Amino acid sequence: MLTQLIKKMLAGDRQALAKLFSCLENDFSNIPLLMKKLHPYIGRAYCIGVTGPPGAGKSTLVDGLVQLIRGEGLTVGVL
C-alpha cells in the first residue's frame, strides 16, 4: 500500500500525499522505506526543522522564511 501511495504522490496526487502522511503518523516504522523510495526524487531540496517552546516565535520565523523563499520564485512545503 505504501509503495502505491508513493507512486501516486509522485504523479501529483494530493490525496495520496495526505494518506501517506496519515500512514506515517500512525506507523513510524514506515519512514525508512519512504525515505529510500523518495531519495532518487529529492534533487536539491533542503529540509529545515524548527523547534522551541510555545510562544518562542516559531510560526513567525517560518512565515518569514517562506516569504523570503517564495520571493525568490522557489517553492516551499511546510509540514
Side-chain angles (χ1 to χ4, degrees):
M1 177 178 163
L2 191 68
T3 303
Q4 285 300 99
L5 286 174
I6 292 169
K7 285 181 184 178
K8 288 180 179 181
M9 180 205 60
L10 290 172
D13 185 335
R14 290 183 180 186
Q15 190 173 32
L17 175 61
K19 288 180 182 179
L20 193 55
F21 276 126
S22 294
C23 216
L24 295 173
E25 287 174 345
N26 294 327
D27 185 0
F28 294 139
S29 69
N30 288 321
I31 291 174
L33 174 62
L34 174 72
M35 292 174 68
K36 183 177 179 180
K37 296 275 187 185
L38 293 181
H39 186 266
Y41 302 96
I42 292 174
R44 296 176 47 171
Y46 292 94
C47 179
I48 300 170
V50 179
T51 64
K58 298 177 298 294
S59 295
T60 302
L61 174 64
V62 170
D63 287 344
L65 288 171
V66 168
Q67 286 180 8
L68 285 171
I69 294 166
R70 296 284 295 161
E72 296 292 319
L74 301 171
T75 56
V76 179
V78 178
L79 308 176

